[in-house]
Structure formats: structure tokens, C-alpha cells
């Protein structure tokens, strides 16, 4: 790939980025709808429409701080060229497909971060990495599920205390209605945080090709395209992962589903406003484990939760390795 792409090649690379965004929505649809489906508040075919709508409109609520972090805070923008972007996307897409096929709810966000790191290091060594931005992302790997877990447990305690005088039927009916609101908030947070990662990728590509002004910025058409691609992916759903997230970790009631979604949404809102590219998968998994553990520790299938954690650990290294290999293969083909 030449330093400056022709228009068809540039459009092709943007299409690959949007394909990743679509797979992100497909892969992470479970994050938005697992709880509301598993509690049988909404049927799956209706839940994906609900989630897709709020995924799309998220750009109207949040700024573009996460896109700025991805575009300039993981590897040095001066290192980025079309080959780096292509290799990073190959690494992220490959890991997403493998984990989707296995039904493992890994992080599309961290797959993209790993892809950027692998491609950037393959081109320019470890000096290409922006350690401040990368460390913020790595810290979020640990903190986002913990924050989601703690908030969900606190919400379960508050809600249980507030409804102690109500009958189980009344509580169930009330939280079936409230889950519409909590699912909306979580889908909003998911669309706000996750779609911005692809926005950052496309914007830094345009910046490296001289199609933006001297300052890094995200064009509005990029915002709309990324939100639409993610919403379309969510609309098609990721049913393999829905089963893992909504049914295999713990059995949920509407009240617990509400607490998990609200705790996860609060975590995503905070992270997005701070510009931290967190994993929506990590966040909702932590929240689901939290509501299960609040009932009793044995209510959580810890072997399932453990297998998910292993996928988290390997996501960045695995996608980085695939991206580095892709970069070297393209370099060899060019030479």
C-alpha cells in the first residue's frame, strides 16, 4: 500500500473499518440485550430493534472523547498509514470472528486496541506506542467489570430494601417495565463508547492521508456511518453470545436484569465522558456476576465466568500478534 492511497483504495479501507464496526455490533449485541432477553421481558427479535435504535442515536448524547483516544492515544499518529490501519483491522476482525464462532463474549474494543498496538510495533517498534493512553485502556480492563459488579450489587441491595414490603408479583411487574429504561440506557452507553473506536480509526486514516485539516477531528459523515454500521450489526444480533451472557452465567429476574443494566450503563456513561475506551463486554459481565453474587455466590457459574476472563486476558496479545503478522505479510508482498 502506498503512503498516499488512491480514492478507490481509501474507500475500500474505510469499508473494511465499517465491516469491523458491523461485526462489533453483531458480536456485542449480547451486551445490550442479553439481560432483557433472558428475563423474557422482550423477545429477541424485538430486543435487537430496541438496542439498535439506541445504539444509533448515541452520537447525539456523547462527545467524541473516546474517538480522540483511539485516534491519537494508542499509537503515535505519525506512525499510522494505510498499511498499519489495514493490519490493525485484520487483527481485530480475526479475533472477533474466532470468539464469535466459539460463543465467547470477548472485547471488540480491546481487539482493536491490540490490532493497533501490533501493527504499530511491527512498523516502528515499541517507540510507536503512546503509553499514557495505552495504560489508561489497560487499567480500564480491570476497573470496568469491577465497577459494573459493585454498582450492580449496590443497586440490588437498594432495590431489595425498597421493595421489601411488596409482593413478588408486584416487584416482577414493576421491573419488567423498568427494564425497558435500563436496557435503553445500556444500549445508549454501548453505542456511545463502542462506535467511537471505529470513528477514531477512520479519522486517523483520513488524517494520515491528508484529507483532514492540520488538527485531528472526526467528520460528521464518519460519525453517522459508524453509528449506522454498529446499529445494523446489533440488529442482526449475536445469538451465540446472547446465550452465554444471558443464560449461562447466572439466572436473572427482571429486578436483577434492571440492576445489571443500570450498573453497566452508569459505568459506560462515566467512561465515555472521560474518553476511556472500555469494554462493554467486560462491563456487563461484571454487572451480571454482581447481581448473581448478591443473591448467593453459588448462583454464579464461576467456570463460565472464568472462561470469559481467560478470553479477556488473551484478546489484546492475540489480536496484536495477528495484526503484526498481517503487517509483515503485506510488507513482504510489496517488496
Amino acid at each position: 500500500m502506498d503512503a498516499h492511497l488512491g480514492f478507490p483504495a481509501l474507500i475500500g479501507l474505510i469499508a473494511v473499518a465499517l465491516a469491523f464496526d458491523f461485526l462489533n455490533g453483531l458480536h456485542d449485541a449480547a451486551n445490550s440485550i442479553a439481560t432483557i432477553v433472558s428475563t423474557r421481558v422482550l423477545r429477541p427479535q424485538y430486543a435487537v430493534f430496541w438496542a439498535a435504535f439506541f445504539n444509533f442515536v448515541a452520537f447525539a448524547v456523547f462527545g467524541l472523547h473516546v474517538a480522540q483516544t483511539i485516534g491519537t492515544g494508542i499509537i503515535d499518529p505519525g506512525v499510522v498509514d494505510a498499511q498499519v490501519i489495514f493490519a490493525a483491522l485484520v487483527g481485530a476482525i480475526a479475533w472477533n470472528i474466532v470468539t464469535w464462532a466459539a460463543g465467547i463474549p470477548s472485547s471488540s474494543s480491546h481487539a482493536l486496541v491490540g490490532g493497533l498496538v501490533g501493527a504499530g510495533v511491527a512498523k516502528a517498534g515499541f517507540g510507536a506506542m503512546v503509553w499514557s493512553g495505552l495504560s489508561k485502556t489497560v487499567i480500564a480492563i480491570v476497573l470496568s467489570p469491577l465497577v459494573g459488579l459493585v454498582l450492580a450489587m449496590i443497586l440490588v441491595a437498594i432495590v431489595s430494601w425498597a421493595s421489601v414490603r411488596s409482593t413478588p408479583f408486584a416487584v416482577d411487574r414493576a421491573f419488567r417495565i423498568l427494564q425497558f429504561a435500563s436496557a435503553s440506557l445500556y444500549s445508549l452507553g454501548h453505542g456511545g463508547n463502542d462506535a467511537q473506536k471505529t470513528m477514531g480509526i477512520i479519522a486517523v486514516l483520513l488524517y494520515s492521508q491528508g484529507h483532514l485539516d492540520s488538527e485531528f477531528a472526526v467528520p460528521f459523515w464518519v460519525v453517522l456511518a459508524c453509528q449506522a454500521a454498529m446499529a445494523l450489526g446489533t440488529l442482526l444480533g449475536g445469538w451465540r453470545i446472547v446465550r452465554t451472557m444471558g443464560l449461562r452465567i447466572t439466572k436473572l429476574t427482571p429486578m436483577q436484569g434492571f440492576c445489571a443494566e443500570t450498573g453497566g450503563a452508569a459505568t459506560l456513561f462515566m467512561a465515555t465522558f472521560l474518553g476511556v475506551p472500555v469494554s462493554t463486554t467486560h462491563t456487563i459481565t461484571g454487572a451480571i456476576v454482581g447481581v448473581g453474587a448478591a443473591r448467593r455466590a453459588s448462583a454464579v457459574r464461576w467456570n463460565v465466568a472464568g472462561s470469559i476472563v481467560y478470553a479477556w486476558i488473551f484478546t489484546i496479545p492475540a489480536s496484536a500478534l495477528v495484526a503484526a503478522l498481517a503487517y509483515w505479510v503485506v510488507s513482504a508482498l510489496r517488496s
Side-chain angles (χ1 to χ4, degrees), residues 137-153:
T137 302
V138 172
I139 290 170
I141 292 175
V142 179
L143 286 184
S144 60
L146 289 179
V147 171
L149 184 150
V150 170
L151 287 178
M153 292 185 76

Side-chain angles (χ1 to χ4, degrees), residues 108-248:
S108 298
S109 309
H110 294 145
L112 183 59
V113 169
L116 281 170
V117 168
V121 170
K123 179 183 179 182
F126 288 99
M129 298 167 67
V130 179
W131 293 104
S132 58
L134 187 61
S135 61
K136 183 167 65 173
T137 302
V138 172
I139 290 170
I141 292 175
V142 179
L143 286 184
S144 60
L146 289 179
V147 171
L149 184 150
V150 170
L151 287 178
M153 292 185 76
I154 291 171
L155 283 167
V156 169
I158 292 171
V159 167
S160 298
W161 175 81
S163 58
V164 70
R165 296 181 182 276
S166 302
T167 65
F169 176 78
V171 171
D172 187 77
R173 183 175 59 183
F175 281 99
R176 282 181 176 276
I177 297 171
L178 288 172
Q179 255 205 288
F180 283 99
S182 61
S184 303
L185 290 172
Y186 194 86
S187 294
L188 201 64
H190 173 254
N193 199 282
D194 267 23
Q196 287 195 43
K197 287 124 185 178
T198 309
M199 293 178 202
I201 286 289
I202 295 176
V204 77
L205 172 64
L206 294 172
Y207 180 78
S208 71
Q209 297 294 307
H211 293 291
L212 298 180
D213 295 330
S214 56
E215 292 187 3
F216 178 87
V218 182
F220 187 60
W221 69 264
V222 173
V223 174
L224 289 179
C226 290
Q227 296 287 172
M230 173 159 287
L232 184 59
T234 301
L235 194 60
L236 295 183
W239 304 122
R240 292 172 180 267
I241 298 170
V242 167
R243 182 172 178 272
T244 299
M245 297 289 287
L247 301 176
R248 291 182 59 197

Side-chain angles (χ1 to χ4, degrees), residues 3 44 101 123 170 196 203 267 270 298:
K123 179 183 179 182
Q196 287 195 43
T267 306
M270 287 187 289
S298 61

Side-chain angles (χ1 to χ4, degrees), residues 13-30:
L13 198 49
I14 290 173
V16 174
L18 291 175
F20 166 79
D21 204 29
F22 171 82
L23 283 172
N24 192 342
L26 181 76
H27 193 278
D28 290 358

Side-chain angles (χ1 to χ4, degrees), residues 232-276:
L232 184 59
T234 301
L235 194 60
L236 295 183
W239 304 122
R240 292 172 180 267
I241 298 170
V242 167
R243 182 172 178 272
T244 299
M245 297 289 287
L247 301 176
R248 291 182 59 197
I249 296 175
T250 189
K251 185 178 179 181
L252 296 173
T253 65
M255 182 270 279
Q256 292 170 325
F258 168 82
C259 293
E261 288 164 346
T262 304
T267 306
L268 292 181
F269 275 50
M270 287 187 289
T272 303
F273 282 121
L274 291 172
V276 181

